């Protein structure tokens, strides 16, 4: 009891210091805020504006620049103060979660190291009252039990002994739990955290980081870090803490806009969006690979996304077309296909590129044959993108010549006669800017100027297209590729693709190869500002996609997170990007924390090598299989939803196999559940309550209770991992409904791992 009293006394003292610092910062923010307001109000009063002479213009520019810089500096100061206030508010609620007493070798006494989400100095700003969890010394808390320990600093290795390790649960400034432990993170603290209800947004896990997760978070030496983690192992959480650690460790050279997260869908982006801000860091850019594809190709094609591809595979009735599509997907996702495109590019060095006519007012002014002839007249040893640049420059010169000749054409005189008043006024002002105030008094000069203006406007779109390489017929070049691929099964696959492209449709499996070919011809669009990339659900990226991404970000470091057991897309069933392409430090996380022990014991029996998965020892009810007839199916579901709500479950997901099934279930439940929500691929965020969601959109998210709608729908072997993924979303309760005893994966599971009810 004395330990708790002493620790609570320290918490009270820390909160008093936080209050003092908060009051100090509030005073500063008011002062800086009023300065910002005053500068804005008096901005033009303090600026000297004089445009009479060149020297006066320079003086005016300098004056405006100085005022703008002063305003920017004050606003930046206010932003930093607001950030400090936000951090102090979080520390006041829960100042820290851990303590270690560390006796450094050669020192007379131990230091008490308290660890929280941010650092806090004493009133003299000399000593640490709380250490940031990312500080080098804090790694002792995550990596060692009491006894000999060491940690790395920028100045070398520090050795010593941990004489005490203590964990806290502090809420609203009060200690609710205190544990001395020999483990990294004691089961008591994990039980407390994991036993809580799920949230609509992921939370920080800094208080419960495990030793194996800490190794991932603090790895700064490897260019590629691969995390193969089972469902619920905390791989995504560890990755987000890793981003926060990197921003802290390299804070002088790395900023949030140098990091990007590729996530599986927009809903997941919303789910993880608060983690970095919760740790006091600005959020990194969050996107999906599909959003990148759309940004490049949506103006040309209607692009299929991976969810529509999945819908087709799960619902297609024409088995012959389905078989062709599956071959299409697997082949076009492979590195073998990328090699075929590279071979095709070798052919294009000397022949085969297709161009478009350049047309002006319905007349071809540079035909595609001339363009092709000029391109292939250039030295063949020059790479294709470099020759395209030279071709582009030649075309712009030719266009300028034709533009000049066009000014004398009769249509231009007609256009001058019918020139709009506003256009005429714009031309007059333009002449004035050129110091030709009297030019419009001379009819010939006026006519010449207006002719130039009219023709220039008409040619502007053509020049813009040339600058964007629109003179290349990329569609035809891509279609031509198929006649060069030496694959006996490819004829049917090529027909499918050609028909799509001719209708301006691009399948998901064609989008990346199309962009790759385009970039090899027009020039790569590498992004050198991104220093670190996180890819979640990396097993769902094809080898071709990942190789393409590596070319997009050639100087980036990578953190790839995935689970081979959740490879739900058809292109990832044979080999995973994680092991085929990515060469780097690989971490395996085999302990599952999300679900109760009973749920993990059931789900791990659904997949091969599931025996390697280690459940965390959090007790709960065994999963329940309810097999019932269709006439009582939804009433049974409604009864169980009501039971879960009464038990305190706040997020209840009814997971369906696909989107069309989700819509049907939503319509069935809606009359009795007025707050039920349907989640589809366009959903950007969700709130607590009852959700109906397709299986593939639930990836990466967790729920208090999961209801699997009609488990008998999952029959085929390639649906096994989809079924496993859906079941592993459950934290506390898993209920499987079925109209018949037809799920082969449940039949293979250990009968003792679940309960069964027949209605």
């Amino acid at each position: 009891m004395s330990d708790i009293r002493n620790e609570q006394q320290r918490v009270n003292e820390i909160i008093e210091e936080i209050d003092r610092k908060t009051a100090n910062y509030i005073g500063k923010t008011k002062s800086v805020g009023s300065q910002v307001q005053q500068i804005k109000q008096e901005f033009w009063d303090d600026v000297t504006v004089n445009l009479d002479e060149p020297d006066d213009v320079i003086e005016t520019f300098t004056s405006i620049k100085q005022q703008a810089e002063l305003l920017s500096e004050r606003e930046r100061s206010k932003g930093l103060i607001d950030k400090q206030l936000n951090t102090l508010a979080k520390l006041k609620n829960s100042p820290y979660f851990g303590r270690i007493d560390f006796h450094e070798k050669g020192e007379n006494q131990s230091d008490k190291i308290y660890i929280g989400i941010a650092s806090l100095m004493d009133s003299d700003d000399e000593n640490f009252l709380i250490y940031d969890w990312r500080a080098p010394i804090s790694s002792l808390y995550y990596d060692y039990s009491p006894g000999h320990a060491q940690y790395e600093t920028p100045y070398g290795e520090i050795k010593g002994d941990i004489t005490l390790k203590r964990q806290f649960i502090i809420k609203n400034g009060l200690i609710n739990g205190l544990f001395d432990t020999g483990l990294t993170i004691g089961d008591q603290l994990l039980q407390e955290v994991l036993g809580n209800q799920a949230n609509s947004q992921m939370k920080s896990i800094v208080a419960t980081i495990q030793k194996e997760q800490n190794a991932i978070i603090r790895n700064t030496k490897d260019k590629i870090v691969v995390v193969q983690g089972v469902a619920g192992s905390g791989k995504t959480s560890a990755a987000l803490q890793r981003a926060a650690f990197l921003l802290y460790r390299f804070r002088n050279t790395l900023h949030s806009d140098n990091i990007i997260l590729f996530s599986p869908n927009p809903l997941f982006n919303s789910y993880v969006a608060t983690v970095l801000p919760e740790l006091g860091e600005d959020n990194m850019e969050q996107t999906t690979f599909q959003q990148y594809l759309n940004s490049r190709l949506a103006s040309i094609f209607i692009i299929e996304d991976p969810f529509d591809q999945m819908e087709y595979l799960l619902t297609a009735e024409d088995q012959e077309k389905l078989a062709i599509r599956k071959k299409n997907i697997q082949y076009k996702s492979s590195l073998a296909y990328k090699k075929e495109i590279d071979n095709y590019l070798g052919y294009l060095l000397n022949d085969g590129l297709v161009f478009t006519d350049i047309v002006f007012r319905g007349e071809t002014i540079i035909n595609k044959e001339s363009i092709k002839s000029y391109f292939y007249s250039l030295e063949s040893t020059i790479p294709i993108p470099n020759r395209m640049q030279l071709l582009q420059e030649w075309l712009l010169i030719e266009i300028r010549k034709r533009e000049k000749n066009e000014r004398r054409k009769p249509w231009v005189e007609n256009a001058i006669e019918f020139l709009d008043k506003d256009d005429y006024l714009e031309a007059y002002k333009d002449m004035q800017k050129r110091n030709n105030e009297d030019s419009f008094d001379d009819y010939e000069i006026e006519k010449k100027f207006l002719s130039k203006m009219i023709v220039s406007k008409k040619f502007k779109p053509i020049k813009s297209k040339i600058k964007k390489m629109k003179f290349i017929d990329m569609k035809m070049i891509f279609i031509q590729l198929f006649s060069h691929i030496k694959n006996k099964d490819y004829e049917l696959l090529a027909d499918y693709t050609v028909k799509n492209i001719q209708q301006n449709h691009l399948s998901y499996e064609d989008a990346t190869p199309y962009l790759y070919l385009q970039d090899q011809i027009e020039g790569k669009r590498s992004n050198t500002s991104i220093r670190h990339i996180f890819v979640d659900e990396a097993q769902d990226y094809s080898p071709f996609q990942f190789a393409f991404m590596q070319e997009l970000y050639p100087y980036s470091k990578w953190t790839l997170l995935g689970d081979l057991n959740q490879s739900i897309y058809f292109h990832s069933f044979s080999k995973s990007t994680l092991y085929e392409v990515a060469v780097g430090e690989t971490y395996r996380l085999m302990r599952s924390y999300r679900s109760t022990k009973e749920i993990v014991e059931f789900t791990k029996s659904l997949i091969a090598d599931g025996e390697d998965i280690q459940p965390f020892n959090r007790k709960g009810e065994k999963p329940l299989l309810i097999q019932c007839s269709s006439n009582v199916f939804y009433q049974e579901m409604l009864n169980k939803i009501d039971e879960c709500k009464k038990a305190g479950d706040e997020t209840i997901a009814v997971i369906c196999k696909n989107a069309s099934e989700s819509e049907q279930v939503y319509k069935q439940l809606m009359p009795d559940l007025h707050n039920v929500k349907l989640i589809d691929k366009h959903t950007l965020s969700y709130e607590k309550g009852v959700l109906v969601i397709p299986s593939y959109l639930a990836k990466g998210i967790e729920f208090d209770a999961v209801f699997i709608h009609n488990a008998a729908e999952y029959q085929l072997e390639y649906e096994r991992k989809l079924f496993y993924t859906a079941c592993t979303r459950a934290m506390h309760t898993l209920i499987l409904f079925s109209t018949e005893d037809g799920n082969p994966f449940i039949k293979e599971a250990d009968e003792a791992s679940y309960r069964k009810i027949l209605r």
Side-chain angles (χ1 to χ4, degrees), residues 599 602 621-628 633 636-645 649 652-655 704-711 723 726-727 730-738 746 754-757:
I599 292 174
F602 168 72
E621 294 288 338
K622 288 182 180 180
L624 175 63
L625 172 62
I626 300 177
Q627 189 177 321
C628 56
F633 191 95
E636 286 290 333
M637 186 173 287
L638 288 166
N639 292 342
K640 289 299 178 184
I641 288 173
D642 189 53
E643 286 180 20
C644 287
K645 284 182 175 179
D649 291 333
I652 301 170
V654 180
I655 300 182
D704 292 328
V706 165
F707 291 10
I708 301 296
H709 178 266
N710 205 356
F723 182 65
C727 292
M731 290 178 65
H732 313 301
T733 304
L734 174 60
I735 302 177
L736 306 101
F737 290 85
S738 184
I746 296 177
Y754 65 96
R755 299 167 292 148
K756 185 174 180 179
I757 296 177

Side-chain angles (χ1 to χ4, degrees), residues 14-23 88 91-92 95 120:
I14 292 292
I15 290 174
E16 288 176 8
E17 182 58 35
I18 289 171
D19 286 339
R20 279 193 293 272
K21 288 185 182 293
T22 299
L88 288 170
L91 287 177
K92 184 173 181 179
L120 182 72

